[in-house]
Amino acid sequence: MTETAGGKTLDVAVFGAGRIGRIHAANLARQPSVRLKYVVDVNREAAAALAAQHGAQVADVDGAMGDASIGATVICSSTDTHADLILKSAAAKKHVFCEKPVDLAIERARECADAVTRAGVVCMIGFQRRFDPTFAAVKARIDAGEIGTPEMLVVTSRDPGAPPVEYIKHSGGIFKDMLIHDFDIFRWILDDEAATVHATGSCLTDPAIAEAGDIDSTAVTIRTKRGRLCQINTTRRAAYGYDQRFEVLGSEGMLQAGNVRPTEVVAWSKRAVAIDVPEAFFLERYRAAYADEIAHFFAAVTEGKPVRTTVADGLKALELAEAATQSWREGRIVQLG
Amino acid sequence: MTETAGGKTLDVAVFGAGRIGRIHAANLARQPSVRLKYVVDVNREAAAALAAQHGAQVADVDGAMGDASIGATVICSSTDTHADLILKSAAAKKHVFCEKPVDLAIERARECADAVTRAGVVCMIGFQRRFDPTFAAVKARIDAGEIGTPEMLVVTSRDPGAPPVEYIKHSGGIFKDMLIHDFDIFRWILDDEAATVHATGSCLTDPAIAEAGDIDSTAVTIRTKRGRLCQINTTRRAAYGYDQRFEVLGSEGMLQAGNVRPTEVVAWSKRAVAIDVPEAFFLERYRAAYADEIAHFFAAVTEGKPVRTTVADGLKALELAEAATQSWREGRIVQLG
Amino acid sequence: MTETAGGKTLDVAVFGAGRIGRIHAANLARQPSVRLKYVVDVNREAAAALAAQHGAQVADVDGAMGDASIGATVICSSTDTHADLILKSAAAKKHVFCEKPVDLAIERARECADAVTRAGVVCMIGFQRRFDPTFAAVKARIDAGEIGTPEMLVVTSRDPGAPPVEYIKHSGGIFKDMLIHDFDIFRWILDDEAATVHATGSCLTDPAIAEAGDIDSTAVTIRTKRGRLCQINTTRRAAYGYDQRFEVLGSEGMLQAGNVRPTEVVAWSKRAVAIDVPEAFFLERYRAAYADEIAHFFAAVTEGKPVRTTVADGLKALELAEAATQSWREGRIVQLG
Amino acid sequence: MTETAGGKTLDVAVFGAGRIGRIHAANLARQPSVRLKYVVDVNREAAAALAAQHGAQVADVDGAMGDASIGATVICSSTDTHADLILKSAAAKKHVFCEKPVDLAIERARECADAVTRAGVVCMIGFQRRFDPTFAAVKARIDAGEIGTPEMLVVTSRDPGAPPVEYIKHSGGIFKDMLIHDFDIFRWILDDEAATVHATGSCLTDPAIAEAGDIDSTAVTIRTKRGRLCQINTTRRAAYGYDQRFEVLGSEGMLQAGNVRPTEVVAWSKRAVAIDVPEAFFLERYRAAYADEIAHFFAAVTEGKPVRTTVADGLKALELAEAATQSWREGRIVQLG
């Protein structure tokens, strides 16, 4: 923290100057009493460009972690650096915002959870979907009792196209890379934990994905400890674009969370009445969610309040991804603790 | 009426074996205690085919009108025969169902109105739109107070394509031929009468229509005696099909009546998310309405109850069409009585 | 068959004068050259009422089966009579239309399949959903290649309320009673056979259903021989009504089949913009489907063409229901032949 | 213009620190190479607060106009100050962004148009609706020929509630205050000028509005020089919220521009299937439009390109508002030059 004329300012270091780092940096710039001080990236040029844009400086990991004035870190670097940077942040008593996943290995993620707890720092995991205005409204309306007791959740989560196979090889597999968001949605919306997980899948879009030992299409079923049911369907390639929907059946009604479209144009032609396809991909679809989540993080840090997506949530989602991977690989139903 | 084992049966003569005559004949066949006895058409072949299909006989006008067992006539012949057949039906004390319009000349329509009143017979005009399930539901919900006091009505009424110019020449003009239905909707939905009418229009689809002294696109505004507002927009040619919608703004909300589509398929492609265009034309769009109106007519006749669309309604719609025609031709606002 | 002035007429016996029997009888009355001769029901009064309405006679099973003039039987009696009546129809060389399921026991259903094959009679099973205009349009558009290769199917199939527990006890369980339709949809839409079935479920709406040994909410996942995925979610009680939707993801797009609503009214109030809930239950939702399926049956019989939903389809759906029941009861993934 | 390390920076003075002034100031802060230097408001406190928020200074009109470093003015003060500030800006050779309307008097507006032309400065009028993503997409698709030749425009423009009667008294009347936006939409979308205007209306929501000599509900019809038709319906009070839609019928199809909703939640209950009402009012509905229009203005100034909404457009909209007012007051159709 730095004392300024206007009160305390929180100095922040951002790790990772890629797409998502740039989004967080821009949103961070709009928070009151928050200042981007350092940008860290192995790509010094990218770091320099982002730093220049926001009047920040380029630093390396040790420089940023060693500066006592830095009150919080925002980790948007590659997945294999997450755990290390969380542990270093905890050691340096800095609050942490970290993109999902905590780590691909559950043990390592657990280590991070322990470290931030011991250090007493805030650690928020970037499950931005919980901050999507539509998804958040559904959650609030369920909590307000609008549909009675939730009984069933159906999640449709489809990407517009698969990432390069090189990426997939190091992604931890589709369940940890892609469905981890959906597993978090499941826990958040049904407010319950998994008792059993069944996952199956296929490689239907590109044989190279199968050769890399992964699949591109999955069908997951979770039964919760309270007997509620959840089905998740995903694909790496929906020809019509990015499709992010879910619906919750409750004892007294249903709430559906739909896609967001760029415009509200309706076109009537000889053949059909047509509306826009959904927003292109996650950066567009979750634009408001990214802004809201970073505001939530800094508000929590400033006001000493708990964050909505903790490292424990990150760990639970990872356990589900692990269980689903097992279920798929071994062709069996997996019991959770 | 004919006494049968099962009670009284109402014998009916249908005039006109064209498209709409065939629809009425088929719906008539489903009414309990109603029997199609005669089909009358200048085209004897068409009459014979329709009669054969329903176990009826071919007759000429005098034969049908002269048969005392005929309790009701259903008039679906060409517009120029309507008044004559209504007057003959009234003289023969037969109940009458007649397609719109009563006549193109207001004086002649008034004569019909007087005749059926004097004769004490039921005379229903075929404003089938009042029986459309969607339109009827809007009316019922307004009447139940759902939107408070109705204040404004916007009617969109578009045909998929213009009829042959030969037809247009004898149609009485677009206001009497096409908008007469919309004028009836206006009176029915706002439950009010016109104080002033303003109509303008253009010939935008086919110069031959202009040469025939008519227009194909109109914009009508009616202000009612109670100050309510109504706008009607029509065209003879909507490239995307038959478009029949209206919306009613009330002091406490709005009700919209939308189009009916053949199926509920939603297609997601790279370019758009698309649903069906509306039902092709009036025979498809108002299929349920035609069935319900004829059932309403025979129920009213049988039970001695009033019909929902009287010859007086036909007359009022005609007066509005006349006023709109004047407004358009003379470029002025027309006051109504 | 009976020779009449107008050509051959097919005489038909309907077994079962309940709700669905009455619907079939009414639709049957509209088929050209088809005549309802007998109505058979253990409830003689119900049989008599239905017979009277359509100018038919009451008969018992032997009477109807023994009358050589009867060309086809329509079986809408209780499930436990289906197999017996199919076998008797086959023995008497009568074509058969039979409501689903063929029988609750696979062996018995197989016996029926063999019998009708040997007898060379048409045997159609009443999977009316294949004749729903929306569902049929989706199928036709898939077949026309609109979405490329189908990859994933998500079926939502929810009843508005559970039947009496007494019914449930003799229903064969939710998978045979309710999901059998969805299993047929799966085979029809994906045009593929199941390799593995996983089913789970819960009793969430009424403990009495659990006491009867059944569940009311299910989540089923099928992986096909070609690696395609299908998820089915069902409940016996959707508070908002009868919900029958599915969506098919293909390599080049998606097609969704939506619910049908009674009207196209849109209501705008302070709180929300609202449309109708779906048609109340199967009799309303599938009104057009029932009419189309019986027309299809008689057209097939008359023209000697194959029917779209054969007894083999009934058998396959039953096998899937049996596998799902096993999967749920034994908590394991079931492999199919 | 001020030379800085990074190149030229445009210094700007904002007049008016009210709601819309604050929005423009915030959006202005995001433009590259643009700096808010002065905030001017008769309410010094409001000016000081807004200036502090953006690191600007408070000035009075003469101070801001007299500073040669100010390259552009942004006028968001009350309507009666617009013309004076435009004329002063022109005299000082400053580019101008001014909220609608230019002035309530056509003569005075014309004077402004002449002044900015002579001065050679950019003058953009704040018709933000042209920058709404949905409206702009419709315009672009029309221009791309998607619906052929535009033939008819139907505009629905409804406020959620009337402003205080005190405001209405000085507003210039509903046509200049509220419909001026719709008149601009009309000219922009149909790309044509009015030949005749017919306007009628009523006071239906609050008698105090009638006492102030105004109406709250209007129905306007415009016929263009090329014979195209436009209908506009407005109300000061739509119980369900802010309703901003239009539809354009063309020779080959139709494009509709719909409302924007806060979320994409769909709620299914016993009674209805419901979505959100539209965004609350213009600040929410046109959030993106306000951002885009100010970016457009500064881009135009910087690059020396023409703006999309000129003072001539402001003048034309005002002439239409004047004509509509006459038509309504005098009960006649008004011809335009």
Side-chain angles (χ1 to χ4, degrees), chain B residues 151-152 154-156 158 196 198 200-205 217-221 223 226-235 237-240 243 245 247 249-254 256 327 331-333, chain D residues 151-152 154 156 158 196 198 200-205 217-223 226-235 237-240 243 245 247 249-254 256 327 331-333:
Chain B
E151 294 173 353
M152 203 181 287
V154 179
V155 179
T156 297
R158 299 170 184 165
T196 59
H198 169 255
T200 184
S202 287
C203 182
L204 298 170
T205 73
S217 306
T218 79
V220 174
T221 302
R223 194 172 182 278
R226 284 187 271 183
R228 296 168 182 184
L229 305 173
C230 169
Q231 288 194 312
I232 302 169
N233 75 78
T234 68
T235 177
R237 188 272 331 264
Y240 55 88
D243 190 0
R245 292 171 283 146
E247 64 181 56
L249 176 70
S251 54
E252 291 170 34
M254 171 167 65
Q256 291 178 313
S327 174
R332 64 180 183 90
I333 299 161
Chain D
E151 294 174 350
M152 202 182 287
V154 179
T156 297
R158 299 172 183 165
T196 58
H198 169 256
T200 185
S202 287
C203 182
L204 297 171
T205 73
S217 306
T218 78
V220 175
T221 301
I222 303 173
R223 194 171 183 280
R226 282 188 272 182
R228 295 167 183 185
L229 306 173
C230 169
Q231 288 195 310
I232 303 171
N233 74 78
T234 68
T235 177
R237 189 271 331 267
Y240 55 87
D243 190 1
R245 291 171 283 146
E247 63 181 57
L249 175 70
S251 55
E252 292 171 32
M254 172 168 63
Q256 292 178 312
S327 174
R332 63 183 183 88
I333 298 161

Side-chain angles (χ1 to χ4, degrees), chain C:
Chain C
M1 293 274 180
T2 305
E3 293 284 335
T4 69
K8 280 180 179 162
T9 290
L10 186 68
D11 281 337
V12 177
V14 166
F15 296 82
R19 262 188 329 189
I20 193 71
R22 290 198 297 272
I23 286 174
H24 286 316
N27 285 327
L28 192 155
R30 287 189 215 146
Q31 309 311 314
S33 310
V34 172
R35 184 173 61 175
L36 178 56
K37 186 162 181 186
Y38 297 126
V39 177
V40 184
D41 200 304
V42 287
N43 178 339
R44 298 285 293 196
E45 243 172 83
L50 185 56
Q53 197 182 333
H54 293 287
Q57 307 159 44
V58 173
D60 60 12
V61 172
D62 291 343
M65 292 291 180
D67 182 342
S69 77
I70 293 293
T73 60
V74 171
I75 306 173
C76 336
S77 44
S78 64
T79 295
D80 58 356
T81 66
H82 289 184
D84 187 53
L85 291 171
I86 291 174
L87 294 173
K88 283 185 169 145
S89 300
K93 302 283 180 200
K94 299 178 195 315
H95 301 298
V96 189
F97 175 94
C98 182
E99 278 302 309
K100 65 89 206 168
V102 180
D103 194 274
L104 295 178
I106 288 179
E107 258 325 296
R108 186 91 166 128
R110 223 165 257 152
E111 199 183 327
C112 292
D114 292 347
V116 296
T117 305
R118 274 198 315 272
V121 295
V122 172
C123 181
M124 176 167 163
I125 303 302
F127 289 125
Q128 89 285 359
R129 295 187 193 178
R130 292 202 192 189
F131 297 88
D132 175 73
T134 293
F135 291 1
V138 166
K139 174 64 172 169
R141 291 168 73 166
I142 292 171
D143 289 351
E146 183 171 327
I147 57 167
T149 307
E151 293 174 352
M152 203 181 286
L153 170 67
V154 179
V155 179
T156 297
S157 180
R158 299 171 184 165
D159 279 3
V165 170
E166 265 322 295
Y167 172 90
I168 285 179
K169 279 180 188 161
H170 302 92
S171 69
I174 192 168
F175 297 104
K176 286 187 186 167
D177 183 54
M178 188 174 159
L179 280 89
I180 198 154
H181 280 295
D182 306 301
F183 292 131
D184 184 60
I185 290 283
F186 150 73
R187 292 184 60 250
W188 177 54
I189 289 294
L190 286 189
D191 202 10
D192 203 350
E193 298 295 343
T196 59
V197 173
H198 169 255
T200 184
S202 287
C203 182
L204 297 170
T205 73
D206 183 355
I209 293 173
E211 282 160 29
D214 207 352
I215 47 180
D216 52 30
S217 306
T218 79
V220 174
T221 301
I222 303 173
R223 192 170 183 280
T224 73
K225 292 190 194 300
R226 283 188 271 182
R228 296 168 182 183
L229 305 174
C230 169
Q231 287 194 310
I232 302 169
N233 75 78
T234 68
T235 177
R236 287 279 194 188
R237 188 272 330 267
Y240 55 87
Y242 190 51
D243 190 1
Q244 300 277 302
R245 291 171 284 146
F246 64 77
E247 63 181 56
V248 198
L249 175 70
S251 55
E252 292 171 32
M254 173 168 63
L255 286 166
Q256 291 178 314
N259 285 304
V260 175
R261 296 186 297 275
T263 77
E264 297 300 325
V265 179
V266 185
W268 301 55
S269 71
K270 273 188 181 53
R271 286 186 324 278
V273 177
I275 58 172
D276 284 1
V277 291
E279 290 280 10
F281 207 8
F282 63 99
L283 297 181
E284 295 85 4
R285 168 68 172 91
Y286 293 114
R287 192 183 294 122
Y290 284 120
D292 287 356
E293 81 173 347
I294 217 77
H296 171 77
F297 172 68
F298 285 114
V301 164
T302 306
E303 300 163 21
K305 289 191 182 159
V307 288
R308 229 188 283 173
T309 52
T310 64
V311 69
D313 291 317
L315 193 53
K316 282 285 187 187
L318 197 62
E319 285 168 0
L320 280 167
E322 185 70 37
T325 308
Q326 275 191 331
S327 174
W328 160 58
R329 284 201 192 283
E330 303 171 14
R332 63 183 183 88
I333 299 161
V334 173
Q335 312 281 334
L336 280 108

Side-chain angles (χ1 to χ4, degrees), chain A residues 9-281:
Chain A
T9 289
L10 186 68
D11 282 337
V12 176
V14 165
F15 296 81
R19 262 186 332 187
I20 192 72
R22 290 197 298 273
I23 285 175
H24 285 317
N27 286 326
L28 191 155
R30 285 187 216 150
Q31 309 310 314
S33 310
V34 172
R35 186 174 59 178
L36 177 56
K37 188 162 180 184
Y38 297 126
V39 175
V40 184
D41 199 305
V42 287
N43 179 340
R44 298 286 291 196
E45 241 171 86
L50 184 57
Q53 197 181 333
H54 293 287
Q57 306 159 44
V58 171
D60 60 11
V61 170
D62 291 343
M65 290 292 181
D67 182 342
S69 76
I70 293 294
T73 59
V74 171
I75 305 173
C76 336
S77 44
S78 64
T79 294
D80 58 356
T81 67
H82 288 185
D84 187 52
L85 291 171
I86 291 174
L87 293 174
K88 282 184 170 147
S89 299
K93 303 282 181 202
K94 299 177 194 321
H95 300 299
V96 189
F97 174 94
C98 182
E99 277 301 309
K100 66 90 206 167
V102 181
D103 194 90
L104 294 179
I106 288 180
E107 257 327 294
R108 187 87 168 132
R110 224 166 255 152
E111 199 184 326
C112 292
D114 293 347
V116 297
T117 306
R118 276 198 316 271
V121 295
V122 170
C123 182
M124 176 167 164
I125 303 303
F127 288 126
Q128 88 285 356
R129 293 185 194 180
R130 292 202 192 188
F131 297 89
D132 175 73
T134 293
F135 290 1
V138 166
K139 174 65 172 167
R141 291 169 73 165
I142 292 172
D143 288 352
E146 184 171 326
I147 56 167
T149 306
E151 294 173 351
M152 203 182 287
L153 170 66
V154 179
V155 179
T156 297
S157 179
R158 300 171 184 166
D159 279 3
V165 170
E166 263 324 294
Y167 171 91
I168 285 179
K169 279 181 187 160
H170 301 92
S171 69
I174 192 168
F175 297 104
K176 286 187 186 170
D177 183 55
M178 188 173 158
L179 281 88
I180 197 152
H181 280 295
D182 306 302
F183 292 131
D184 183 61
I185 290 283
F186 150 71
R187 292 183 59 250
W188 176 55
I189 289 295
L190 286 190
D191 203 9
D192 204 349
E193 299 294 345
T196 59
V197 173
H198 170 255
T200 185
S202 288
C203 182
L204 298 170
T205 73
D206 183 357
I209 293 174
E211 282 159 31
D214 207 353
I215 46 179
D216 52 30
S217 306
T218 79
V220 175
T221 302
I222 303 173
R223 193 170 183 278
T224 73
K225 292 191 193 303
R226 284 189 269 183
R228 296 166 182 185
L229 305 173
C230 169
Q231 288 194 311
I232 303 170
N233 75 78
T234 68
T235 177
R236 288 279 194 189
R237 189 270 332 266
Y240 55 88
Y242 190 51
D243 190 1
Q244 300 275 303
R245 292 171 282 145
F246 65 78
E247 64 180 55
V248 198
L249 176 70
S251 55
E252 291 171 33
M254 173 167 64
L255 286 165
Q256 291 178 312
N259 284 305
V260 175
R261 295 185 299 274
T263 77
E264 297 299 325
V265 178
V266 184
W268 300 56
S269 71
K270 271 186 182 55
R271 286 185 324 277
V273 177
I275 59 173
D276 284 1
V277 291
E279 291 280 11
F281 206 8

Side-chain angles (χ1 to χ4, degrees), chain D residues 255-266:
Chain D
L255 286 165
Q256 292 178 312
N259 285 304
V260 175
R261 295 184 299 274
T263 77
E264 297 299 325
V265 179
V266 184

